[in-house]
Amino acid sequence: MAAPPRSHPLSREALVPAVQAVVEDLLAGRFVSVTPQAGERLSRCLLKEPTPPTFEALLARLYAAPAYGRDGVFGDEVSAFALVRLAIRLYGAPDRLATVPGDLVISNHQEGALPSPFWVPGNLKVEGSLTVDEGAWLLCTGEVQVGGTTLDYEPGSVIAVGGSLTTARLCTMGAVTVGGRLEVSDTLLAWRNDYRLVVEEGLRAGLVVAWDHTIHAEVSAGVWLDADAAPEALRAHLRAEVLVGEGRATDFDVEAADELLRRGESLRA
C-alpha cells in the first residue's frame, strides 16, 4: 500500500473556524459527542500556539501528549476523532482508496508494521485482518472495510473512523470511535473497562459480547450477551472452548474468547 501523502499545510486562518465547527458538531452529537467542558478543553488543545505548519505535525503533537497532559495538550480518543473531523473540514470529503491485499498491522513495537500514528486521508480497504497495537492510533477520514478480524489492544490503542467500519469480527479492549455505522458480520467482543466503543449511526452485529466494556451506540444484534447473561444463554450461543464450569455454574472465559478471535475464529456455537 502506498503511503498517504504528507505535508498537508495548516494555517491559523483555516484552523480556527474549522476547530470551532468540529467542536460544535461534537457538542451536538448523539453518541460521538463531548460535554461543553470537554469541548472547551478540546478547542484549547487544538488551537494551542504556535500553530503547527502541517496537519501531520498537529497529529504528532497530540499523539505524543499524555491524556489531558500539561500545557493543555492531550492525546486520547476524543482528540483523535476530532482530528478526523478536522481533516475533513480542512481538506474536503475523502475520495481516495488505499487497499491492503493482506493483513495490516499498525505498531511502534512489531517488526514490519506501519508506524503509529497512521493517518489515512481517504478510504481504507484491508483484505486480511487489521491490528492496532497497544499505544497505536489509526485515523481514517473515510470508510474502513476489513475482510477479516479487526483487533486492538490496551493500553492506549485508538481507532477513529470518520465514515463507517465494516469487518467480519471485532475484538476490542481499546478505544474505537466510528462516525458512521459499525457492521460486524460475525462476532464483536468488547472487554475490559478502561476504554469504550462509540458509534454514531448504529451498530449491527451477529453476536455481541459486551464484557465489562462501555458501548455507546444504537445496537442491533442477532444475539447480545453480557456479564448478566444466564448460563443457558452462554451455552446456547458460545463455543464450548470459551466456557468454564458446568450447569448453573457455567461462565464465560473472556481471555480464551479473545485468543480465538485473534486467531481469526468465531465465538459462535
Side-chain angles (χ1 to χ4, degrees), residues 6 25 30 45-46 57 60 65 80 99-100 106 123 127 135 139 151 153 178 180 214 224 232:
R6 295 300 177 185
D25 285 347
R30 290 197 306 161
C45 168
L46 295 172
T99 301
V100 180
I106 301 167
N123 304 298
E127 295 180 354
L139 285 73
L151 308 164
Y153 292 80
V178 180
T214 299
W224 171 281
E232 296 79 10

PDB file of all heavy atoms in Angstrom, residues 6 25 30 45-46 57 60 65 80 99-100 106 123 127 135 139 151 153 178 180 214 224 232:
ATOM      1  N   ARG A   6       1.975  13.389   2.390  1.00  0.00           N
ATOM      2  CA  ARG A   6       2.379  14.108   3.593  1.00  0.00           C
ATOM      3  C   ARG A   6       2.300  15.620   3.366  1.00  0.00           C
ATOM      4  O   ARG A   6       2.004  16.102   2.282  1.00  0.00           O
ATOM      5  CB  ARG A   6       3.807  13.706   3.981  1.00  0.00           C
ATOM      6  CG  ARG A   6       3.927  12.239   4.387  1.00  0.00           C
ATOM      7  CD  ARG A   6       3.050  11.926   5.586  1.00  0.00           C
ATOM      8  NE  ARG A   6       3.074  10.543   5.974  1.00  0.00           N
ATOM      9  CZ  ARG A   6       2.318  10.024   6.914  1.00  0.00           C
ATOM     10  NH1 ARG A   6       1.471  10.782   7.582  1.00  0.00           N
ATOM     11  NH2 ARG A   6       2.376   8.740   7.208  1.00  0.00           N
ATOM     12  N   ASP A  25     -20.024  20.377  16.128  1.00  0.00           N
ATOM     13  CA  ASP A  25     -20.554  19.077  15.707  1.00  0.00           C
ATOM     14  C   ASP A  25     -20.517  18.074  16.862  1.00  0.00           C
ATOM     15  O   ASP A  25     -21.472  17.309  17.061  1.00  0.00           O
ATOM     16  CB  ASP A  25     -19.726  18.521  14.545  1.00  0.00           C
ATOM     17  CG  ASP A  25     -20.015  19.238  13.231  1.00  0.00           C
ATOM     18  OD1 ASP A  25     -21.017  19.974  13.166  1.00  0.00           O
ATOM     19  OD2 ASP A  25     -19.220  19.075  12.282  1.00  0.00           O
ATOM     20  N   ARG A  30     -24.941  12.527  18.899  1.00  0.00           N
ATOM     21  CA  ARG A  30     -25.760  11.618  19.707  1.00  0.00           C
ATOM     22  C   ARG A  30     -24.870  10.801  20.654  1.00  0.00           C
ATOM     23  O   ARG A  30     -25.038  10.816  21.865  1.00  0.00           O
ATOM     24  CB  ARG A  30     -26.543  10.667  18.806  1.00  0.00           C
ATOM     25  CG  ARG A  30     -27.657  11.306  18.018  1.00  0.00           C
ATOM     26  CD  ARG A  30     -28.599  10.244  17.497  1.00  0.00           C
ATOM     27  NE  ARG A  30     -27.884   9.221  16.728  1.00  0.00           N
ATOM     28  CZ  ARG A  30     -28.374   8.022  16.463  1.00  0.00           C
ATOM     29  NH1 ARG A  30     -29.568   7.677  16.918  1.00  0.00           N
ATOM     30  NH2 ARG A  30     -27.689   7.148  15.738  1.00  0.00           N
ATOM     31  N   CYS A  45      -6.820  22.749  23.201  1.00  0.00           N
ATOM     32  CA  CYS A  45      -5.781  21.816  22.768  1.00  0.00           C
ATOM     33  C   CYS A  45      -5.461  21.996  21.290  1.00  0.00           C
ATOM     34  O   CYS A  45      -4.297  22.133  20.902  1.00  0.00           O
ATOM     35  CB  CYS A  45      -6.253  20.395  23.041  1.00  0.00           C
ATOM     36  SG  CYS A  45      -5.271  19.120  22.264  1.00  0.00           S
ATOM     37  N   LEU A  46      -6.484  22.012  20.444  1.00  0.00           N
ATOM     38  CA  LEU A  46      -6.259  22.084  19.007  1.00  0.00           C
ATOM     39  C   LEU A  46      -5.752  23.443  18.555  1.00  0.00           C
ATOM     40  O   LEU A  46      -5.073  23.549  17.530  1.00  0.00           O
ATOM     41  CB  LEU A  46      -7.558  21.738  18.265  1.00  0.00           C
ATOM     42  CG  LEU A  46      -8.055  20.300  18.443  1.00  0.00           C
ATOM     43  CD1 LEU A  46      -9.434  20.142  17.815  1.00  0.00           C
ATOM     44  CD2 LEU A  46      -7.083  19.308  17.826  1.00  0.00           C
ATOM     45  N   ALA A  57       1.933  17.473  11.657  1.00  0.00           N
ATOM     46  CA  ALA A  57       2.619  17.960  12.856  1.00  0.00           C
ATOM     47  C   ALA A  57       1.646  18.111  14.018  1.00  0.00           C
ATOM     48  O   ALA A  57       1.991  17.839  15.180  1.00  0.00           O
ATOM     49  CB  ALA A  57       3.317  19.286  12.562  1.00  0.00           C
ATOM     50  N   ALA A  60       1.016  14.618  15.265  1.00  0.00           N
ATOM     51  CA  ALA A  60       2.162  14.132  16.035  1.00  0.00           C
ATOM     52  C   ALA A  60       2.191  14.753  17.428  1.00  0.00           C
ATOM     53  O   ALA A  60       2.534  14.090  18.404  1.00  0.00           O
ATOM     54  CB  ALA A  60       3.458  14.441  15.288  1.00  0.00           C
ATOM     55  N   ALA A  65       1.285  13.446  23.345  1.00  0.00           N
ATOM     56  CA  ALA A  65       0.879  14.006  24.639  1.00  0.00           C
ATOM     57  C   ALA A  65       0.123  12.987  25.470  1.00  0.00           C
ATOM     58  O   ALA A  65      -0.661  12.210  24.941  1.00  0.00           O
ATOM     59  CB  ALA A  65      -0.007  15.231  24.406  1.00  0.00           C
ATOM     60  N   ALA A  80      -8.376  12.315  18.968  1.00  0.00           N
ATOM     61  CA  ALA A  80      -8.118  11.565  17.739  1.00  0.00           C
ATOM     62  C   ALA A  80      -9.299  11.681  16.780  1.00  0.00           C
ATOM     63  O   ALA A  80      -9.128  11.946  15.584  1.00  0.00           O
ATOM     64  CB  ALA A  80      -7.830  10.106  18.063  1.00  0.00           C
ATOM     65  N   THR A  99      -5.758   0.275  -0.620  1.00  0.00           N
ATOM     66  CA  THR A  99      -6.098  -1.139  -0.487  1.00  0.00           C
ATOM     67  C   THR A  99      -4.892  -1.925  -0.017  1.00  0.00           C
ATOM     68  O   THR A  99      -3.792  -1.780  -0.559  1.00  0.00           O
ATOM     69  CB  THR A  99      -6.590  -1.718  -1.829  1.00  0.00           C
ATOM     70  OG1 THR A  99      -7.744  -0.989  -2.255  1.00  0.00           O
ATOM     71  CG2 THR A  99      -6.957  -3.189  -1.683  1.00  0.00           C
ATOM     72  N   VAL A 100      -5.102  -2.760   0.998  1.00  0.00           N
ATOM     73  CA  VAL A 100      -4.061  -3.644   1.519  1.00  0.00           C
ATOM     74  C   VAL A 100      -4.456  -5.071   1.150  1.00  0.00           C
ATOM     75  O   VAL A 100      -5.488  -5.561   1.604  1.00  0.00           O
ATOM     76  CB  VAL A 100      -3.926  -3.505   3.052  1.00  0.00           C
ATOM     77  CG1 VAL A 100      -2.834  -4.429   3.575  1.00  0.00           C
ATOM     78  CG2 VAL A 100      -3.630  -2.066   3.430  1.00  0.00           C
ATOM     79  N   ILE A 106      -0.512  -1.927  12.644  1.00  0.00           N
ATOM     80  CA  ILE A 106      -0.033  -0.590  12.996  1.00  0.00           C
ATOM     81  C   ILE A 106       0.579  -0.682  14.389  1.00  0.00           C
ATOM     82  O   ILE A 106      -0.110  -1.021  15.354  1.00  0.00           O
ATOM     83  CB  ILE A 106      -1.175   0.430  12.968  1.00  0.00           C
ATOM     84  CG1 ILE A 106      -1.804   0.467  11.565  1.00  0.00           C
ATOM     85  CG2 ILE A 106      -0.681   1.817  13.365  1.00  0.00           C
ATOM     86  CD1 ILE A 106      -3.113   1.208  11.512  1.00  0.00           C
ATOM     87  N   ASN A 123     -10.350   6.498   2.056  1.00  0.00           N
ATOM     88  CA  ASN A 123     -10.971   5.238   2.436  1.00  0.00           C
ATOM     89  C   ASN A 123      -9.910   4.150   2.499  1.00  0.00           C
ATOM     90  O   ASN A 123      -8.911   4.188   1.780  1.00  0.00           O
ATOM     91  CB  ASN A 123     -12.049   4.861   1.423  1.00  0.00           C
ATOM     92  CG  ASN A 123     -13.105   5.947   1.264  1.00  0.00           C
ATOM     93  OD1 ASN A 123     -13.805   6.282   2.216  1.00  0.00           O
ATOM     94  ND2 ASN A 123     -13.217   6.520   0.074  1.00  0.00           N
ATOM     95  N   GLU A 127      -7.883  -6.380   3.016  1.00  0.00           N
ATOM     96  CA  GLU A 127      -8.464  -7.663   2.614  1.00  0.00           C
ATOM     97  C   GLU A 127      -8.235  -8.755   3.654  1.00  0.00           C
ATOM     98  O   GLU A 127      -8.980  -9.732   3.704  1.00  0.00           O
ATOM     99  CB  GLU A 127      -7.893  -8.070   1.258  1.00  0.00           C
ATOM    100  CG  GLU A 127      -8.314  -7.111   0.146  1.00  0.00           C
ATOM    101  CD  GLU A 127      -7.770  -7.494  -1.206  1.00  0.00           C
ATOM    102  OE1 GLU A 127      -6.957  -8.448  -1.288  1.00  0.00           O
ATOM    103  OE2 GLU A 127      -8.139  -6.839  -2.199  1.00  0.00           O
ATOM    104  N   GLY A 135      -1.057   1.319  22.336  1.00  0.00           N
ATOM    105  CA  GLY A 135      -0.484   2.642  22.170  1.00  0.00           C
ATOM    106  C   GLY A 135      -0.525   3.183  20.758  1.00  0.00           C
ATOM    107  O   GLY A 135      -0.072   4.305  20.522  1.00  0.00           O
ATOM    108  N   LEU A 139      -6.215   6.620  12.287  1.00  0.00           N
ATOM    109  CA  LEU A 139      -7.191   7.658  11.989  1.00  0.00           C
ATOM    110  C   LEU A 139      -7.511   7.579  10.511  1.00  0.00           C
ATOM    111  O   LEU A 139      -6.602   7.619   9.670  1.00  0.00           O
ATOM    112  CB  LEU A 139      -6.644   9.054  12.317  1.00  0.00           C
ATOM    113  CG  LEU A 139      -6.556   9.464  13.789  1.00  0.00           C
ATOM    114  CD1 LEU A 139      -5.419   8.739  14.484  1.00  0.00           C
ATOM    115  CD2 LEU A 139      -6.335  10.972  13.900  1.00  0.00           C
ATOM    116  N   LEU A 151      -8.645  -5.916  15.295  1.00  0.00           N
ATOM    117  CA  LEU A 151      -8.123  -6.154  16.637  1.00  0.00           C
ATOM    118  C   LEU A 151      -7.463  -4.900  17.180  1.00  0.00           C
ATOM    119  O   LEU A 151      -6.765  -4.185  16.449  1.00  0.00           O
ATOM    120  CB  LEU A 151      -7.070  -7.272  16.610  1.00  0.00           C
ATOM    121  CG  LEU A 151      -7.460  -8.600  15.949  1.00  0.00           C
ATOM    122  CD1 LEU A 151      -6.214  -9.416  15.656  1.00  0.00           C
ATOM    123  CD2 LEU A 151      -8.390  -9.368  16.872  1.00  0.00           C
ATOM    124  N   TYR A 153      -5.601  -3.337  21.128  1.00  0.00           N
ATOM    125  CA  TYR A 153      -5.014  -3.736  22.404  1.00  0.00           C
ATOM    126  C   TYR A 153      -5.074  -2.554  23.363  1.00  0.00           C
ATOM    127  O   TYR A 153      -5.140  -1.402  22.938  1.00  0.00           O
ATOM    128  CB  TYR A 153      -3.546  -4.157  22.231  1.00  0.00           C
ATOM    129  CG  TYR A 153      -3.331  -5.427  21.451  1.00  0.00           C
ATOM    130  CD1 TYR A 153      -3.374  -5.429  20.065  1.00  0.00           C
ATOM    131  CD2 TYR A 153      -3.081  -6.632  22.094  1.00  0.00           C
ATOM    132  CE1 TYR A 153      -3.178  -6.595  19.343  1.00  0.00           C
ATOM    133  CE2 TYR A 153      -2.882  -7.801  21.383  1.00  0.00           C
ATOM    134  CZ  TYR A 153      -2.926  -7.779  20.010  1.00  0.00           C
ATOM    135  OH  TYR A 153      -2.728  -8.924  19.288  1.00  0.00           O
ATOM    136  N   VAL A 178     -16.500   5.597  15.864  1.00  0.00           N
ATOM    137  CA  VAL A 178     -16.926   5.490  14.467  1.00  0.00           C
ATOM    138  C   VAL A 178     -17.994   6.546  14.204  1.00  0.00           C
ATOM    139  O   VAL A 178     -19.045   6.553  14.854  1.00  0.00           O
ATOM    140  CB  VAL A 178     -17.474   4.082  14.164  1.00  0.00           C
ATOM    141  CG1 VAL A 178     -17.910   3.990  12.701  1.00  0.00           C
ATOM    142  CG2 VAL A 178     -16.433   3.014  14.484  1.00  0.00           C
ATOM    143  N   GLY A 180     -19.729   6.892  11.388  1.00  0.00           N
ATOM    144  CA  GLY A 180     -20.817   6.330  10.603  1.00  0.00           C
ATOM    145  C   GLY A 180     -21.402   5.116  11.290  1.00  0.00           C
ATOM    146  O   GLY A 180     -21.731   5.145  12.475  1.00  0.00           O
ATOM    147  N   THR A 214     -17.790  -0.415  27.993  1.00  0.00           N
ATOM    148  CA  THR A 214     -18.848   0.528  27.675  1.00  0.00           C
ATOM    149  C   THR A 214     -19.060   0.599  26.161  1.00  0.00           C
ATOM    150  O   THR A 214     -18.108   0.786  25.404  1.00  0.00           O
ATOM    151  CB  THR A 214     -18.507   1.926  28.215  1.00  0.00           C
ATOM    152  OG1 THR A 214     -18.385   1.854  29.642  1.00  0.00           O
ATOM    153  CG2 THR A 214     -19.591   2.922  27.860  1.00  0.00           C
ATOM    154  N   TRP A 224     -27.204 -10.769  21.952  1.00  0.00           N
ATOM    155  CA  TRP A 224     -26.470  -9.876  22.850  1.00  0.00           C
ATOM    156  C   TRP A 224     -26.204 -10.634  24.143  1.00  0.00           C
ATOM    157  O   TRP A 224     -27.119 -11.142  24.775  1.00  0.00           O
ATOM    158  CB  TRP A 224     -27.267  -8.607  23.131  1.00  0.00           C
ATOM    159  CG  TRP A 224     -26.674  -7.745  24.221  1.00  0.00           C
ATOM    160  CD1 TRP A 224     -26.773  -7.943  25.571  1.00  0.00           C
ATOM    161  CD2 TRP A 224     -25.885  -6.574  24.056  1.00  0.00           C
ATOM    162  NE1 TRP A 224     -26.095  -6.957  26.263  1.00  0.00           N
ATOM    163  CE2 TRP A 224     -25.535  -6.108  25.344  1.00  0.00           C
ATOM    164  CE3 TRP A 224     -25.436  -5.868  22.939  1.00  0.00           C
ATOM    165  CZ2 TRP A 224     -24.762  -4.961  25.545  1.00  0.00           C
ATOM    166  CZ3 TRP A 224     -24.662  -4.721  23.139  1.00  0.00           C
ATOM    167  CH2 TRP A 224     -24.331  -4.274  24.433  1.00  0.00           C
ATOM    168  N   GLU A 232     -27.618 -20.641  30.595  1.00  0.00           N
ATOM    169  CA  GLU A 232     -28.264 -21.278  29.455  1.00  0.00           C
ATOM    170  C   GLU A 232     -27.999 -20.505  28.159  1.00  0.00           C
ATOM    171  O   GLU A 232     -27.810 -21.105  27.094  1.00  0.00           O
ATOM    172  CB  GLU A 232     -29.773 -21.385  29.692  1.00  0.00           C
ATOM    173  CG  GLU A 232     -30.190 -22.280  30.849  1.00  0.00           C
ATOM    174  CD  GLU A 232     -30.033 -21.597  32.203  1.00  0.00           C
ATOM    175  OE1 GLU A 232     -29.780 -20.368  32.232  1.00  0.00           O
ATOM    176  OE2 GLU A 232     -30.169 -22.301  33.227  1.00  0.00           O
TER     177      GLU A 232
END
